[in-house]
Amino acid sequence: MEFNSLSLFATLISLTILVYLFRRRRHLQSFPTTVNLPPGSFGWPVIGETFEFLFGKPEKFVGTRMKKFSPDIFKTKILGEKTVVICGPNGHKFLFSNEHKLFTAFRPHPIQRLFRSYRTKSNESVATVASTNTTDESKVIRTPGFLKPEALIRFIPKMDSIIQQLIQSNWSSEGKNVIQADSLSKTVTLTLACRFFLGIENPERIARLVGHFDDITLGMHSFISYIPGTIFYRASKAAEAIRKELRAVIGEKKKTIAAGAPAMDILSHMIMVTDPAGKFMPEMEIADKIMGLIVAGYSTVSTAITFFIKYVGLHPEVYQKVYSEQMEISSSKNEGDLLNWDDLSKMKYSWNVMCEVMRLVPPLQGTFREVLVDFTYAGYTILKGWKLYWTVSSTNMNPEYFPNPEKFDPSRYDGEKLQPYTYAQFGGGPRLCPGKEYARLVVLTFVHNVVKRYKWEVVYPDEKVMGNMIPTPEKGLPIRLISHQN
């Protein structure tokens, strides 16, 4: 009996090796011998270099391969895809200049699974769908100009009022001088996103969603697994819960629109938009697209705010300059006046501080594209169907562009010091983040209201940062508040 078990085990191992060698041979034969592919490695069978990509430092993953293979380009295999990383400021410029010509947007398979409307039909490529989908969420929000400055101007006073209320209710309890900064930053950004995108203000409804959105942001860059307890399983359950809540909101919104309410938010516009055939967008698709927008406006902005609090708390001289700038703006206003566009345009130093925070801790590490046609870059051929990974990690910690890159130095952004295409935290070209201005307004409005009321000390200066794709302080960034009224 024991012999039979060992024999069966040996047979299975042998078959596994033979299948791998056969696939490896077919894989190598699939490349034209005359094509000069980029240098690099596809890593392990099946998983490629996904572990290093997801669980290593992003700048280390990119930097070591730039040194080993080429400072301009290298190939790898991540999240199941043959991928090319084009590096440096020249790479940024090339990518931003050739969007929709040589490549188009691609969402990794975990994101396609979580956001079901992003899945493609069995006989269509992602590129085909991306190039023909007239209801792509970025087009939906760009067309009516919801995120343009002239539209956002009207939202600034409301944004100011909401943030004041949230700080008052979350940080102003008597005797509560040590709080978790990460918790408030998430509550603020999700509340504002729900108000701006959905037109809802119910705090209890929003509070129910915070944990779900955290699970989704983690699951977007993980291994697909429906085994209970895994990151992706929790993300898929969270997506179901959010989708259910959004369907309820959509139903309520349709009733208010039918009653004659004006379309003052992005959700209302999505409900009313039609395709060229005059058909309305299905509710499930609306739910998925609005969920994608909220995720984008939630995780990146809350991360930026959290690490602003950390770095400013660790650098009292920087805090003092931010405080002076914000108090000068505050002293120019009458009691009870809310912030306006002119006020935010004066917060130049505060924004420089935020830019430096985002360089050291990028809220968005990068995005993927799919190659539409074979093309050549830096002497190497990139094949149709491969994926491109754009990342800030090839420049943001490079001493050639940022001297003493580990140093926190907001003065880097004074004047015209930066070389073109070295700082690209918001992307560029046709895919320049449509929410850049919205994010700037949220961040600066938050900074103004917090700095006016408090200075603070970081309780754990060396607190570990978890999750390199979505950076999060391990303990939630506890800070000790010191009220200016004391």
Side-chain angles (χ1 to χ4, degrees):
M1 193 74 176
E2 184 178 346
F3 174 78
N4 289 336
S5 298
L6 290 172
S7 178
L8 178 60
F9 178 73
T11 301
L12 289 172
I13 291 295
S14 300
L15 286 172
T16 301
I17 294 172
L18 286 172
V19 168
Y20 167 69
L21 292 174
F22 175 72
R23 288 183 173 179
R24 180 70 176 169
R25 183 182 178 189
R26 286 186 61 188
H27 167 72
L28 294 173
Q29 290 176 341
S30 66
F31 297 124
T33 56
T34 57
V35 169
N36 186 26
L37 296 174
S41 170
F42 287 132
W44 294 93
V46 183
I47 63 172
E49 297 187 307
T50 302
F51 275 111
E52 298 96 313
F53 175 72
L54 292 179
F55 305 115
K57 291 288 184 183
E59 60 267 21
K60 183 179 179 182
F61 177 87
V62 174
T64 55
R65 286 158 180 78
M66 288 174 68
K67 289 178 182 178
K68 183 176 181 179
F69 301 118
S70 166
D72 301 311
I73 186 172
F74 64 86
K75 70 175 182 286
T76 179
K77 186 176 181 182
I78 46 182
L79 297 172
E81 300 288 345
K82 298 183 184 70
T83 303
V84 168
V85 183
I86 295 179
C87 310
N90 290 334
H92 292 335
K93 182 178 180 180
F94 179 81
L95 285 166
F96 300 157
S97 302
N98 289 282
E99 195 74 49
H100 304 316
K101 302 173 188 175
L102 302 179
F103 31 78
T104 191
F106 173 78
R107 296 177 177 88
H109 298 294
I111 297 178
Q112 292 184 41
R113 294 286 184 92
L114 292 174
F115 301 87
R116 294 183 299 193
S117 68
Y118 293 164
R119 299 186 197 178
T120 61
K121 297 177 183 178
S122 59
N123 60 342
E124 290 181 304
S125 71
V126 173
T128 302
V129 172
S131 63
T132 60
N133 186 357
T134 57
T135 58
D136 179 82
E137 68 276 12
S138 66
K139 293 180 182 178
V140 170
I141 63 173
R142 288 178 195 270
T143 302
F146 278 105
L147 296 177
K148 290 182 178 178
E150 53 268 29
L152 290 167
I153 286 172
R154 299 192 300 271
F155 188 57
I156 294 172
K158 185 65 178 177
M159 187 183 292
D160 187 13
S161 176
I162 290 172
I163 290 175
Q164 288 184 38
Q165 293 169 17
L166 290 172
I167 292 174
Q168 181 68 29
S169 61
N170 285 272
W171 281 12
S172 299
S173 299
E174 193 166 332
K176 187 180 178 182
N177 68 326
V178 175
I179 53 88
Q180 283 191 327
D182 189 47
S183 176
L184 179 64
S185 69
K186 288 177 177 178
T187 300
V188 165
T189 51
L190 186 57
T191 300
L192 290 172
C194 287
R195 175 67 180 82
F196 186 71
F197 296 137
L198 306 179
I200 64 172
E201 299 186 50
N202 185 329
E204 293 181 0
R205 195 173 211 172
I206 292 167
R208 289 199 300 266
L209 299 177
V210 171
H212 292 322
F213 277 105
D214 284 344
D215 285 338
I216 286 181
T217 54
L218 289 173
M220 290 194 307
H221 299 96
S222 66
F223 289 101
I224 296 174
S225 170
Y226 292 97
I227 299 173
T230 61
I231 293 173
F232 187 83
Y233 177 82
R234 290 197 301 271
S236 64
K237 290 299 181 183
E240 289 177 12
I242 292 174
R243 198 175 283 113
K244 181 179 179 180
E245 189 73 30
L246 289 175
R247 290 289 297 275
V249 174
I250 291 168
E252 296 163 12
K253 187 69 66 174
K254 283 184 173 181
K255 291 179 181 178
T256 62
I257 292 172
M264 300 296 290
D265 51 71
I266 294 174
L267 177 59
S268 297
H269 176 75
M270 283 189 173
I271 289 171
M272 295 189 297
V273 74
T274 58
D275 63 16
K279 293 182 180 180
F280 290 99
M281 198 186 304
E283 282 192 6
M284 191 61 74
E285 187 174 347
I286 294 173
D288 274 5
K289 290 187 183 301
I290 206 76
M291 181 164 60
L293 286 173
I294 295 175
V295 167
Y298 165 69
S299 60
T300 55
V301 177
S302 65
T303 298
I305 289 174
T306 295
F307 285 94
F308 176 95
I309 293 172
K310 175 181 178 177
Y311 279 98
V312 171
L314 293 175
H315 296 84
E317 73 287 358
V318 172
Y319 170 86
Q320 193 57 48
K321 290 181 180 180
V322 172
Y323 176 74
S324 297
E325 180 177 77
Q326 297 299 336
M327 291 310 296
E328 184 176 347
I329 293 167
S330 183
S331 63
S332 69
K333 304 180 73 65
N334 295 322
E335 183 71 26
D337 283 353
L338 296 170
L339 290 174
N340 57 47
W341 181 265
D342 289 339
D343 296 328
L344 270 66
S345 67
K346 297 174 185 176
M347 301 180 188
K348 292 182 172 56
Y349 182 76
S350 298
W351 184 244
N352 284 352
V353 173
M354 182 55 71
C355 287
E356 182 69 342
V357 169
M358 291 189 292
R359 181 187 69 83
L360 290 170
V361 187
L364 177 67
Q365 293 293 341
T367 56
F368 288 86
R369 276 93 164 144
E370 181 168 17
V371 178
L372 297 173
V373 295
D374 293 359
F375 68 90
T376 300
Y377 180 81
Y380 299 101
T381 298
I382 294 88
L383 300 176
K384 177 181 177 180
W386 280 31
K387 306 304 179 288
L388 291 178
Y389 179 63
W390 166 78
T391 175
V392 299
S393 295
S394 69
T395 57
N396 68 321
M397 295 299 288
N398 189 325
E400 181 180 349
Y401 313 124
F402 299 96
N404 300 315
E406 302 291 340
K407 182 181 179 182
F408 183 72
D409 181 12
S411 69
R412 299 179 194 275
Y413 310 93
D414 294 340
E416 301 294 330
K417 291 183 179 181
L418 298 184
Q419 297 180 39
Y421 297 100
T422 55
Y423 186 87
Q425 310 305 99
F426 292 96
R431 285 185 60 77
L432 176 69
C433 175
K436 176 183 177 182
E437 203 57 50
Y438 169 80
R440 189 178 76 88
L441 299 189
V442 172
V443 164
L444 291 178
T445 305
F446 179 88
V447 168
H448 176 78
N449 281 288
V450 169
V451 169
K452 261 197 336 182
R453 290 167 173 77
Y454 305 105
K455 57 182 176 179
W456 58 88
E457 299 170 353
V458 177
V459 176
Y460 302 108
D462 298 321
E463 181 179 358
K464 185 178 179 181
V465 176
M466 309 292 288
N468 293 307
M469 296 303 291
I470 307 291
T472 305
E474 184 179 31
K475 301 178 185 295
L477 191 63
I479 59 173
R480 185 169 292 105
L481 293 176
I482 304 165
S483 173
H484 288 306
Q485 297 176 352
N486 293 343

